[in-house]
Amino acid sequence: MWVCQNRTCKKQGALAVFHAFEALQLPGWAILKSQCMGQCGNGPMVRVLPGDIWYWRVQPKEVAAIGERHLLHGNPIQAMMYPPFVRG
Ligand code: FES
């Protein structure tokens, strides 16, 4: 999974979000820093692969929920997804 670390997302707190994901130490998941995802202003942006699920405006306090529900148990959180990229 990727956490955008480009300028705009960083201004919105993306580094703290990255560290919050790292701190979860989720087995089987690589937490990676990405360049701009082309969605500046809607961040911090988080993109989860496989599945290509995008979360927006992610705050550090929300990271535990994404980790627990989506990354560990495979249930993406619809309410936190980035609306333009929600499919189905
Ligand atoms: S800076 Fe994160 S999407 Fe552009």
Side-chain angles (χ1 to χ4, degrees):
M1 61 167 297
W2 300 86
V3 182
C4 180
Q5 295 296 312
N6 215 62
R7 191 169 44 194
T8 309
C9 283
K10 255 191 161 162
K11 272 191 202 153
Q12 295 174 308
L15 188 58
V17 171
F18 175 81
H19 287 313
F21 274 112
E22 272 196 328
L24 294 178
Q25 298 191 314
L26 297 168
W29 284 96
I31 314 301
L32 303 170
K33 295 178 177 178
S34 85
Q35 295 298 312
C36 180
M37 296 179 181
Q39 308 303 319
C40 307
N42 297 308
M45 296 299 304
V46 170
R47 184 180 183 187
V48 180
L49 293 163
D52 202 15
I53 302 293
W54 294 63
Y55 293 108
W56 69 323
R57 298 178 180 168
V58 178
Q59 299 303 306
K61 65 176 192 271
E62 299 174 315
V63 165
I66 295 172
E68 172 78 15
R69 291 165 59 182
H70 183 167
L71 304 182
L72 282 183
H73 294 108
N75 299 312
I77 305 172
Q78 186 91 23
M80 295 170 64
M81 289 181 197
Y82 184 44
F85 293 169
V86 173
R87 292 175 300 274

